[in-house]
Amino acid sequence: MTYCLNPACWQPQNPDDATVCQNCGAPLLLGDRYRPLKVLGQGGFGKTFLAIDEREQDQPFCVIKQSLPRAIGDVSPRKTVELFRQEAERLAELGQHPQISQLLDHFEQDNAQYLVQEFINGPNLATLLAQDGPFTEAHIHRLLNDLLPVLAFIHSHQVIHRDIKPENIVCPAGMSVWERGHARLVLVDFGASKYATGPALARTGTIIGSAGYVAPEQAMGKAEFASDIYSLGVTCIHLLTDLHPFDLYSVSEDAWVWRQYLIEPIGAQLANVLDRMLTKATSQRYRTATAVLQDLNRLPSLSSAANRQSRSTSRSPNSTLPSRSSANPSPAARREASWQEMGSLLGHSGPVTAIAISPDSRLIASGSRDKTIKLWNLITGELLHSFAGRSLLFSAGHSDCIRSLVFSPDGRTLISASDDGTVKRWDLANLKLFSTLPEHGWGISAIAISPDGFLLASGGGDGRIYLWDLETEELIDSLAKHRDQISALIISDDGQQLLSASYDKTVRLWDLESSQLLNSFRGHVARVSDIAVTSDWLTLVSSSWDKTLKIWDLEQGKQLQTLMAHRDPVSCVAISPNDQFLASGSEDSTIRVWPLQQGDRLELPQNQRPLVLRHSWSVNTLCFSPDSRFLVSGSADETIKIWQRS
């Protein structure tokens, strides 16, 4: 069906191929190219239509927004047209942001004004709320981290949206895609937006917005940047409670009472952030979106908790952590040990796929599907630097997902591997790219460095393991026994042996001096996702998509134990450097931590239940700090969590 744009037409439906309206004779194609199909929405001053662009070969969908010229106060229709053109220029500029629908065209035709914008395919948050019920705390964290940067962007262009609500936030391709980190929320409908120049902010304007979501000052015609923050806060509590804002505000108390209507309790940090976003007085409310992000993602307890731990374990000004040989607590003491979440690091815009910790246990390096590598202070949680993915402005970075990270033994260099087929070396003193190893044609999924820092092993989709001389950056040798992608590599402390895991369901042990295969470990019935080995190089642990962990005698090649560890595929495994804990992460969103029992071979105490730690979505990567005090995890929920032993 083709829909007539003439607002006076009383029978606007027409055949699919019609060019003029059969009822009123008006042209049906806007600008001779955009065919309206149906009405999406209607207000007092115009309509919104779903349309197709007939000039494009695949005839993509788009959205037509129709506005009728009108006199507003002492502004004439001619001045309104001029303002419309200025608005179109602003929207074209804002549409360059990937989370704002792009302005494709604008017209003044038949005494009306038209904006043609990109069609975002997906449900809005109001629809998702009706379908799936209240949002979780993790969803709200994700929502705020998606949208606050968009608000910062539009505010930097002196634009106030003025109509933020669930209906104007779209989830491209649906909830499941967003939850997996494959999409970001999009802010739509800038029809109520206001250009916030100094004089415009001072002048009382039109009262506009959606009832229940409008900030008090906006309801009085004096919208400002903080008004959008207020509306976003109202949106969040509506999504958390599934109640209309009118039901969450107490007139008698003149205050929001949303906390008592939560289906599930949320953390104090997020609740306090929302309360400040909802503060009636603008002087007490967040003034900028960046300030909200800083409070939302800060780790207030991490530094103080680490300091308390440091003070409690120190014996003298020069004391150090006990060595493995002098500090092996009893099995009972290990069972009492717990791991507490110290905070979450947020900053990646895609699933976190790689984690490494510096030899001095001070830095975290994280890699993501967003193609970036980030450096964090392990103790404070501060983001120190971001190595951007390859773009027009940054040519040195990776152009695809980061799969593996490793620090050099001296801590001066970070090495990264990516699906783009490259291995890059980053100088941490100057925070610049040092070099890129020659490509070998396949995405690289695993790397390992020798203790002396001279040898690098890399493996990827072709199943081969490549050995590199890092001084000359020349290929020394390649090992070819695996028949599928390499998933993990470990070089022994003496630099003489290499362990490799593969999607071909095997783990293999190699002699690096002779490049000979020493042993193969078979037993998993699905791909091996990761491996870990004890510090004495006697016990091997492998994780698999078959949902199990297997513990092996590395010398004899025998399987010692099988753990039915998780409900879903196990994606990663790690052993603490002091050999006291085994941790595994899974697509079931959990991390399970077992105490290990010291004997001739490390093993799990009988009937010992693991401690369960949680992310919002699948856990992709795990790493213990070299001092064994911290466990760091990366997840598809785009967060990095820091856990400290207590």
Side-chain angles (χ1 to χ4, degrees):
M1 181 183 73
T2 303
Y3 203 96
C4 180
L5 294 172
N6 180 6
C9 183
W10 57 272
Q11 192 173 342
Q13 294 86 358
N14 288 272
D16 292 344
D17 57 353
T19 57
V20 296
C21 180
Q22 295 179 343
N23 178 55
C24 69
L28 291 175
L29 296 185
L30 178 64
D32 293 325
R33 65 182 296 181
Y34 302 105
R35 181 180 294 276
L37 303 180
K38 64 178 182 179
V39 176
L40 294 176
Q42 184 170 349
F45 301 109
K47 297 178 181 178
T48 302
F49 303 87
L50 179 66
I52 57 172
D53 184 355
E54 293 197 340
R55 285 193 191 172
E56 297 291 334
Q57 186 174 1
D58 57 350
Q59 296 192 347
F61 287 113
C62 56
V63 174
I64 297 174
K65 295 186 178 181
Q66 177 195 61
S67 298
L68 304 178
R70 59 199 185 276
I72 304 176
D74 57 356
V75 181
S76 66
R78 179 177 297 179
K79 181 63 174 178
T80 302
V81 171
E82 181 182 340
L83 293 173
F84 164 76
R85 294 174 182 172
Q86 294 174 1
E87 177 188 4
E89 292 175 1
R90 290 196 301 273
L91 291 179
E93 190 173 338
L94 294 178
Q96 300 304 310
H97 193 286
Q99 289 170 259
I100 297 175
S101 55
Q102 184 179 1
L103 182 68
L104 304 175
D105 223 331
H106 65 279
F107 297 93
E108 297 150 38
Q109 179 176 304
D110 298 329
N111 199 34
Q113 301 157 352
Y114 297 93
L115 298 174
V116 183
Q117 291 183 287
E118 174 189 11
F119 173 69
I120 307 298
N121 184 25
N124 62 45
L125 298 192
T127 300
L128 292 176
L129 181 64
Q131 290 176 351
D132 303 330
F135 280 37
T136 65
E137 178 178 2
H139 287 138
I140 298 302
H141 259 287
R142 177 76 183 279
L143 183 158
L144 290 172
N145 277 285
D146 271 9
L147 287 184
L148 285 167
V150 183
L151 287 189
F153 174 79
I154 67 172
H155 293 169
S156 70
H157 287 72
Q158 304 303 306
V159 172
I160 308 170
H161 188 279
R162 296 202 299 178
D163 199 17
I164 293 176
K165 58 183 179 180
E167 289 82 356
N168 286 340
I169 302 171
V170 175
C171 190
M175 187 72 160
S176 61
V177 174
W178 179 59
E179 287 180 333
R180 292 196 301 270
H182 296 167
R184 307 197 81 179
L185 299 176
V186 175
L187 185 61
V188 301
D189 196 353
F190 282 74
S193 64
K194 176 181 180 180
Y195 190 51
T197 60
L201 280 174
R203 184 173 58 246
T204 300
T206 306
I207 300 173
I208 197 166
S210 298
Y213 299 92
V214 176
E217 68 279 2
Q218 184 175 327
M220 299 174 65
K222 290 186 176 290
E224 52 184 277
F225 298 131
S227 305
D228 283 343
I229 294 172
Y230 184 97
S231 297
L232 183 57
V234 178
T235 295
C236 289
I237 63 172
H238 172 44
L239 295 172
L240 280 168
T241 61
D242 197 10
L243 292 175
H244 192 277
F246 287 150
D247 298 322
L248 301 174
Y249 193 86
S250 170
V251 176
S252 61
E253 298 180 28
D254 193 23
W256 292 99
V257 291
W258 60 276
R259 293 191 188 214
Q260 67 191 57
Y261 294 105
L262 289 171
I263 307 300
E264 295 182 358
I266 65 173
Q269 184 174 358
L270 175 59
N272 292 336
V273 167
L274 292 175
D275 278 339
R276 188 173 171 190
M277 293 174 72
L278 295 166
T279 302
K280 187 174 182 180
T282 57
S283 61
Q284 299 175 31
R285 194 186 312 157
Y286 288 108
R287 305 296 294 172
T288 67
T290 302
V292 187
L293 275 172
Q294 289 174 345
D295 273 4
L296 180 70
N297 298 328
R298 75 170 66 251
L299 300 176
S301 62
L302 192 56
S303 180
S304 58
N307 290 336
R308 288 195 301 271
Q309 175 72 11
S310 177
R311 288 194 296 270
S312 66
T313 57
S314 62
R315 298 182 181 86
S316 70
N318 298 318
S319 67
T320 59
L321 288 175
S323 66
R324 178 177 172 237
S325 60
S326 63
N328 280 321
S330 67
R334 287 199 193 102
R335 282 194 291 272
E336 293 173 0
S338 179
W339 291 84
Q340 294 183 346
E341 181 181 348
M342 307 308 296
S344 295
L345 309 180
L346 297 100
H348 283 295
S349 59
V352 179
T353 49
I355 292 287
I357 301 177
S358 62
D360 61 5
S361 298
R362 293 183 179 181
L363 295 178
I364 299 171
S366 61
S368 167
R369 193 173 292 163
D370 66 10
K371 311 173 191 176
T372 69
I373 301 165
K374 297 185 184 297
L375 290 177
W376 313 81
N377 185 307
L378 173 56
I379 302 303
T380 66
E382 177 187 2
L383 176 61
L384 303 175
H385 187 71
S386 181
F387 297 107
R390 190 179 302 167
S391 66
L392 293 175
L393 299 177
F394 190 81
S395 59
H398 286 290
S399 61
D400 210 332
C401 178
I402 312 300
R403 288 297 178 186
S404 187
L405 294 167
V406 63
F407 282 92
S408 61
D410 61 12
R412 297 177 181 177
T413 306
L414 177 68
I415 305 174
S416 58
S418 167
D419 281 345
D420 65 12
T422 66
V423 173
K424 294 181 180 289
R425 301 169 70 190
W426 306 89
D427 183 341
L428 296 181
N430 299 313
L431 299 176
K432 291 183 179 180
L433 179 68
F434 177 72
S435 65
T436 300
L437 296 186
E439 298 184 31
H440 51 75
W442 292 80
I444 301 174
S445 47
I447 51 176
I449 192 170
S450 61
D452 60 12
F454 295 137
L455 177 71
L456 181 79
S458 66
D462 60 354
R464 286 179 173 268
I465 300 165
Y466 296 85
L467 304 178
W468 304 87
D469 184 324
L470 286 180
E471 282 194 309
T472 64
E473 296 192 346
E474 293 180 351
L475 182 63
I476 301 172
D477 204 349
S478 65
L479 312 178
K481 287 292 184 180
H482 286 295
R483 293 178 293 173
D484 206 338
Q485 178 172 316
I486 305 299
S487 54
L489 295 167
I490 303 174
I491 297 177
S492 62
D493 286 345
D494 60 11
Q496 296 181 8
Q497 293 184 336
L498 171 72
L499 277 166
S500 60
S502 170
Y503 285 3
D504 66 7
K505 309 174 189 177
T506 69
V507 178
R508 300 183 189 271
L509 178 65
W510 307 82
D511 181 281
L512 286 176
E513 186 173 351
S514 64
S515 297
Q516 295 298 309
L517 179 65
L518 299 177
N519 208 343
S520 295
F521 301 83
R522 294 182 173 88
H524 286 292
V525 296
R527 63 176 61 173
V528 179
S529 57
D530 201 5
I531 49 176
V533 66
T534 54
S535 61
D536 55 15
W537 203 252
L538 293 177
T539 306
L540 166 71
V541 181
S542 57
S543 63
S544 170
W545 279 33
D546 63 13
K547 308 177 186 179
T548 70
L549 296 176
K550 290 186 181 293
I551 301 178
W552 309 81
D553 183 314
L554 191 54
E555 283 188 324
Q556 300 182 25
K558 292 182 179 179
Q559 183 178 316
L560 302 175
Q561 286 179 275
T562 297
L563 302 175
M564 296 301 296
H566 295 270
R567 297 193 310 270
D568 292 321
V570 188
S571 50
C572 48
V573 64
I575 295 175
S576 61
N578 61 9
D579 293 336
Q580 293 180 10
F581 293 95
L582 169 67
S584 61
S586 167
E587 291 190 1
D588 65 10
S589 307
T590 69
I591 302 164
R592 296 175 189 261
V593 184
W594 287 268
L596 290 173
Q597 184 168 292
Q598 186 73 49
D600 292 337
R601 293 288 186 275
L602 288 185
E603 59 181 356
L604 298 180
Q606 293 296 319
N607 302 318
Q608 178 65 54
R609 286 191 171 188
L611 176 69
V612 179
L613 313 175
R614 296 186 182 275
H615 271 271
S616 300
W617 292 290
S618 60
V619 180
N620 296 330
T621 179
L622 286 171
C623 187
F624 282 99
S625 61
D627 61 13
S628 298
R629 290 171 56 197
F630 298 97
L631 174 64
V632 180
S633 55
S635 168
D637 62 15
E638 301 183 0
T639 70
I640 300 155
K641 288 185 181 290
I642 300 174
W643 314 86
Q644 185 177 25
R645 183 183 171 188
S646 59

PDB file of all heavy atoms in Angstrom, residues 255-275:
ATOM      1  N   ALA A 255       8.400  13.403  46.188  1.00  0.00           N
ATOM      2  CA  ALA A 255       9.641  12.660  45.981  1.00  0.00           C
ATOM      3  C   ALA A 255       9.351  11.371  45.213  1.00  0.00           C
ATOM      4  O   ALA A 255       8.219  10.855  45.236  1.00  0.00           O
ATOM      5  CB  ALA A 255      10.297  12.326  47.315  1.00  0.00           C
ATOM      6  N   TRP A 256      10.393  10.867  44.545  1.00  0.00           N
ATOM      7  CA  TRP A 256      10.282   9.567  43.880  1.00  0.00           C
ATOM      8  C   TRP A 256      10.345   8.465  44.935  1.00  0.00           C
ATOM      9  O   TRP A 256      11.167   8.520  45.853  1.00  0.00           O
ATOM     10  CB  TRP A 256      11.420   9.379  42.882  1.00  0.00           C
ATOM     11  CG  TRP A 256      11.340  10.287  41.691  1.00  0.00           C
ATOM     12  CD1 TRP A 256      12.019  11.444  41.492  1.00  0.00           C
ATOM     13  CD2 TRP A 256      10.509  10.104  40.544  1.00  0.00           C
ATOM     14  NE1 TRP A 256      11.660  12.006  40.287  1.00  0.00           N
ATOM     15  CE2 TRP A 256      10.733  11.194  39.680  1.00  0.00           C
ATOM     16  CE3 TRP A 256       9.595   9.128  40.151  1.00  0.00           C
ATOM     17  CZ2 TRP A 256      10.088  11.343  38.461  1.00  0.00           C
ATOM     18  CZ3 TRP A 256       8.945   9.265  38.935  1.00  0.00           C
ATOM     19  CH2 TRP A 256       9.189  10.354  38.104  1.00  0.00           C
ATOM     20  N   VAL A 257       9.495   7.442  44.792  1.00  0.00           N
ATOM     21  CA  VAL A 257       9.454   6.330  45.745  1.00  0.00           C
ATOM     22  C   VAL A 257       9.641   5.004  45.006  1.00  0.00           C
ATOM     23  O   VAL A 257       9.067   3.985  45.366  1.00  0.00           O
ATOM     24  CB  VAL A 257       8.118   6.325  46.534  1.00  0.00           C
ATOM     25  CG1 VAL A 257       8.045   7.518  47.470  1.00  0.00           C
ATOM     26  CG2 VAL A 257       6.917   6.335  45.574  1.00  0.00           C
ATOM     27  N   TRP A 258      10.476   5.027  43.976  1.00  0.00           N
ATOM     28  CA  TRP A 258      10.610   3.889  43.064  1.00  0.00           C
ATOM     29  C   TRP A 258      11.246   2.662  43.718  1.00  0.00           C
ATOM     30  O   TRP A 258      10.947   1.526  43.329  1.00  0.00           O
ATOM     31  CB  TRP A 258      11.445   4.302  41.855  1.00  0.00           C
ATOM     32  CG  TRP A 258      12.838   4.772  42.185  1.00  0.00           C
ATOM     33  CD1 TRP A 258      13.217   6.017  42.574  1.00  0.00           C
ATOM     34  CD2 TRP A 258      14.027   3.988  42.149  1.00  0.00           C
ATOM     35  NE1 TRP A 258      14.569   6.072  42.784  1.00  0.00           N
ATOM     36  CE2 TRP A 258      15.098   4.840  42.527  1.00  0.00           C
ATOM     37  CE3 TRP A 258      14.302   2.655  41.840  1.00  0.00           C
ATOM     38  CZ2 TRP A 258      16.413   4.397  42.602  1.00  0.00           C
ATOM     39  CZ3 TRP A 258      15.614   2.199  41.911  1.00  0.00           C
ATOM     40  CH2 TRP A 258      16.645   3.086  42.285  1.00  0.00           C
ATOM     41  N   ARG A 259      12.106   2.853  44.720  1.00  0.00           N
ATOM     42  CA  ARG A 259      12.848   1.716  45.283  1.00  0.00           C
ATOM     43  C   ARG A 259      11.919   0.658  45.868  1.00  0.00           C
ATOM     44  O   ARG A 259      12.209  -0.542  45.805  1.00  0.00           O
ATOM     45  CB  ARG A 259      13.828   2.199  46.354  1.00  0.00           C
ATOM     46  CG  ARG A 259      14.966   3.058  45.820  1.00  0.00           C
ATOM     47  CD  ARG A 259      16.012   3.262  46.896  1.00  0.00           C
ATOM     48  NE  ARG A 259      17.036   4.220  46.525  1.00  0.00           N
ATOM     49  CZ  ARG A 259      18.299   4.137  46.905  1.00  0.00           C
ATOM     50  NH1 ARG A 259      18.686   3.133  47.656  1.00  0.00           N
ATOM     51  NH2 ARG A 259      19.176   5.053  46.545  1.00  0.00           N
ATOM     52  N   GLN A 260      10.812   1.082  46.460  1.00  0.00           N
ATOM     53  CA  GLN A 260       9.918   0.120  47.110  1.00  0.00           C
ATOM     54  C   GLN A 260       9.161  -0.743  46.102  1.00  0.00           C
ATOM     55  O   GLN A 260       8.545  -1.736  46.484  1.00  0.00           O
ATOM     56  CB  GLN A 260       8.932   0.854  48.012  1.00  0.00           C
ATOM     57  CG  GLN A 260       7.924   1.728  47.280  1.00  0.00           C
ATOM     58  CD  GLN A 260       7.158   2.637  48.231  1.00  0.00           C
ATOM     59  OE1 GLN A 260       7.736   3.422  48.972  1.00  0.00           O
ATOM     60  NE2 GLN A 260       5.840   2.510  48.218  1.00  0.00           N
ATOM     61  N   TYR A 261       9.226  -0.389  44.811  1.00  0.00           N
ATOM     62  CA  TYR A 261       8.509  -1.153  43.792  1.00  0.00           C
ATOM     63  C   TYR A 261       9.429  -2.041  42.954  1.00  0.00           C
ATOM     64  O   TYR A 261       8.990  -2.642  41.971  1.00  0.00           O
ATOM     65  CB  TYR A 261       7.751  -0.202  42.867  1.00  0.00           C
ATOM     66  CG  TYR A 261       6.640   0.552  43.572  1.00  0.00           C
ATOM     67  CD1 TYR A 261       6.784   1.894  43.895  1.00  0.00           C
ATOM     68  CD2 TYR A 261       5.450  -0.088  43.922  1.00  0.00           C
ATOM     69  CE1 TYR A 261       5.778   2.592  44.546  1.00  0.00           C
ATOM     70  CE2 TYR A 261       4.432   0.595  44.574  1.00  0.00           C
ATOM     71  CZ  TYR A 261       4.608   1.932  44.888  1.00  0.00           C
ATOM     72  OH  TYR A 261       3.598   2.611  45.530  1.00  0.00           O
ATOM     73  N   LEU A 262      10.691  -2.139  43.335  1.00  0.00           N
ATOM     74  CA  LEU A 262      11.616  -2.985  42.589  1.00  0.00           C
ATOM     75  C   LEU A 262      11.231  -4.452  42.708  1.00  0.00           C
ATOM     76  O   LEU A 262      10.903  -4.935  43.791  1.00  0.00           O
ATOM     77  CB  LEU A 262      13.047  -2.795  43.106  1.00  0.00           C
ATOM     78  CG  LEU A 262      13.723  -1.451  42.787  1.00  0.00           C
ATOM     79  CD1 LEU A 262      15.035  -1.342  43.549  1.00  0.00           C
ATOM     80  CD2 LEU A 262      13.957  -1.305  41.295  1.00  0.00           C
ATOM     81  N   ILE A 263      11.284  -5.159  41.595  1.00  0.00           N
ATOM     82  CA  ILE A 263      11.023  -6.598  41.614  1.00  0.00           C
ATOM     83  C   ILE A 263      12.186  -7.320  42.295  1.00  0.00           C
ATOM     84  O   ILE A 263      12.000  -8.231  43.088  1.00  0.00           O
ATOM     85  CB  ILE A 263      10.843  -7.133  40.182  1.00  0.00           C
ATOM     86  CG1 ILE A 263       9.760  -6.312  39.442  1.00  0.00           C
ATOM     87  CG2 ILE A 263      10.489  -8.612  40.199  1.00  0.00           C
ATOM     88  CD1 ILE A 263       8.408  -6.356  40.097  1.00  0.00           C
ATOM     89  N   GLU A 264      13.422  -6.909  41.965  1.00  0.00           N
ATOM     90  CA  GLU A 264      14.624  -7.437  42.598  1.00  0.00           C
ATOM     91  C   GLU A 264      15.456  -6.254  43.086  1.00  0.00           C
ATOM     92  O   GLU A 264      15.539  -5.237  42.403  1.00  0.00           O
ATOM     93  CB  GLU A 264      15.442  -8.276  41.616  1.00  0.00           C
ATOM     94  CG  GLU A 264      14.742  -9.540  41.143  1.00  0.00           C
ATOM     95  CD  GLU A 264      15.617 -10.349  40.206  1.00  0.00           C
ATOM     96  OE1 GLU A 264      16.749  -9.891  39.920  1.00  0.00           O
ATOM     97  OE2 GLU A 264      15.180 -11.416  39.754  1.00  0.00           O
ATOM     98  N   PRO A 265      16.090  -6.366  44.261  1.00  0.00           N
ATOM     99  CA  PRO A 265      16.921  -5.252  44.749  1.00  0.00           C
ATOM    100  C   PRO A 265      18.109  -5.014  43.822  1.00  0.00           C
ATOM    101  O   PRO A 265      18.590  -5.938  43.152  1.00  0.00           O
ATOM    102  CB  PRO A 265      17.376  -5.735  46.131  1.00  0.00           C
ATOM    103  CG  PRO A 265      17.259  -7.226  46.081  1.00  0.00           C
ATOM    104  CD  PRO A 265      16.111  -7.527  45.177  1.00  0.00           C
ATOM    105  N   ILE A 266      18.581  -3.769  43.783  1.00  0.00           N
ATOM    106  CA  ILE A 266      19.754  -3.438  42.979  1.00  0.00           C
ATOM    107  C   ILE A 266      20.840  -2.884  43.893  1.00  0.00           C
ATOM    108  O   ILE A 266      20.585  -2.531  45.048  1.00  0.00           O
ATOM    109  CB  ILE A 266      19.417  -2.414  41.877  1.00  0.00           C
ATOM    110  CG1 ILE A 266      18.995  -1.071  42.490  1.00  0.00           C
ATOM    111  CG2 ILE A 266      18.339  -2.946  40.951  1.00  0.00           C
ATOM    112  CD1 ILE A 266      18.816   0.034  41.465  1.00  0.00           C
ATOM    113  N   GLY A 267      22.050  -2.827  43.386  1.00  0.00           N
ATOM    114  CA  GLY A 267      23.175  -2.356  44.173  1.00  0.00           C
ATOM    115  C   GLY A 267      23.032  -0.895  44.564  1.00  0.00           C
ATOM    116  O   GLY A 267      22.412  -0.091  43.862  1.00  0.00           O
ATOM    117  N   ALA A 268      23.654  -0.555  45.698  1.00  0.00           N
ATOM    118  CA  ALA A 268      23.552   0.811  46.218  1.00  0.00           C
ATOM    119  C   ALA A 268      24.168   1.822  45.259  1.00  0.00           C
ATOM    120  O   ALA A 268      23.678   2.950  45.135  1.00  0.00           O
ATOM    121  CB  ALA A 268      24.231   0.895  47.582  1.00  0.00           C
ATOM    122  N   GLN A 269      25.238   1.425  44.554  1.00  0.00           N
ATOM    123  CA  GLN A 269      25.910   2.371  43.663  1.00  0.00           C
ATOM    124  C   GLN A 269      24.984   2.822  42.542  1.00  0.00           C
ATOM    125  O   GLN A 269      24.831   4.018  42.278  1.00  0.00           O
ATOM    126  CB  GLN A 269      27.175   1.737  43.082  1.00  0.00           C
ATOM    127  CG  GLN A 269      27.997   2.688  42.215  1.00  0.00           C
ATOM    128  CD  GLN A 269      29.310   2.057  41.780  1.00  0.00           C
ATOM    129  OE1 GLN A 269      29.629   0.935  42.136  1.00  0.00           O
ATOM    130  NE2 GLN A 269      30.086   2.796  41.008  1.00  0.00           N
ATOM    131  N   LEU A 270      24.329   1.871  41.862  1.00  0.00           N
ATOM    132  CA  LEU A 270      23.413   2.227  40.788  1.00  0.00           C
ATOM    133  C   LEU A 270      22.215   2.995  41.333  1.00  0.00           C
ATOM    134  O   LEU A 270      21.770   3.980  40.731  1.00  0.00           O
ATOM    135  CB  LEU A 270      22.944   0.969  40.051  1.00  0.00           C
ATOM    136  CG  LEU A 270      21.887   1.188  38.961  1.00  0.00           C
ATOM    137  CD1 LEU A 270      22.396   2.140  37.883  1.00  0.00           C
ATOM    138  CD2 LEU A 270      21.459  -0.143  38.345  1.00  0.00           C
ATOM    139  N   ALA A 271      21.671   2.553  42.475  1.00  0.00           N
ATOM    140  CA  ALA A 271      20.504   3.230  43.052  1.00  0.00           C
ATOM    141  C   ALA A 271      20.817   4.687  43.380  1.00  0.00           C
ATOM    142  O   ALA A 271      20.000   5.588  43.125  1.00  0.00           O
ATOM    143  CB  ALA A 271      20.046   2.489  44.312  1.00  0.00           C
ATOM    144  N   ASN A 272      21.991   4.939  43.921  1.00  0.00           N
ATOM    145  CA  ASN A 272      22.364   6.316  44.249  1.00  0.00           C
ATOM    146  C   ASN A 272      22.550   7.171  43.002  1.00  0.00           C
ATOM    147  O   ASN A 272      22.208   8.356  42.990  1.00  0.00           O
ATOM    148  CB  ASN A 272      23.646   6.320  45.094  1.00  0.00           C
ATOM    149  CG  ASN A 272      23.436   5.731  46.477  1.00  0.00           C
ATOM    150  OD1 ASN A 272      22.316   5.717  46.990  1.00  0.00           O
ATOM    151  ND2 ASN A 272      24.503   5.222  47.077  1.00  0.00           N
ATOM    152  N   VAL A 273      23.105   6.572  41.960  1.00  0.00           N
ATOM    153  CA  VAL A 273      23.255   7.301  40.694  1.00  0.00           C
ATOM    154  C   VAL A 273      21.883   7.689  40.144  1.00  0.00           C
ATOM    155  O   VAL A 273      21.656   8.825  39.711  1.00  0.00           O
ATOM    156  CB  VAL A 273      24.037   6.453  39.668  1.00  0.00           C
ATOM    157  CG1 VAL A 273      23.918   7.042  38.264  1.00  0.00           C
ATOM    158  CG2 VAL A 273      25.503   6.362  40.062  1.00  0.00           C
ATOM    159  N   LEU A 274      20.933   6.750  40.169  1.00  0.00           N
ATOM    160  CA  LEU A 274      19.587   7.044  39.659  1.00  0.00           C
ATOM    161  C   LEU A 274      18.913   8.126  40.496  1.00  0.00           C
ATOM    162  O   LEU A 274      18.239   9.012  39.949  1.00  0.00           O
ATOM    163  CB  LEU A 274      18.746   5.767  39.647  1.00  0.00           C
ATOM    164  CG  LEU A 274      19.173   4.694  38.639  1.00  0.00           C
ATOM    165  CD1 LEU A 274      18.329   3.438  38.810  1.00  0.00           C
ATOM    166  CD2 LEU A 274      19.067   5.207  37.212  1.00  0.00           C
ATOM    167  N   ASP A 275      19.079   8.053  41.808  1.00  0.00           N
ATOM    168  CA  ASP A 275      18.468   9.076  42.666  1.00  0.00           C
ATOM    169  C   ASP A 275      18.990  10.474  42.327  1.00  0.00           C
ATOM    170  O   ASP A 275      18.220  11.441  42.305  1.00  0.00           O
ATOM    171  CB  ASP A 275      18.754   8.764  44.140  1.00  0.00           C
ATOM    172  CG  ASP A 275      17.792   7.735  44.716  1.00  0.00           C
ATOM    173  OD1 ASP A 275      16.701   7.559  44.143  1.00  0.00           O
ATOM    174  OD2 ASP A 275      18.138   7.108  45.734  1.00  0.00           O
TER     175      ASP A 275
END
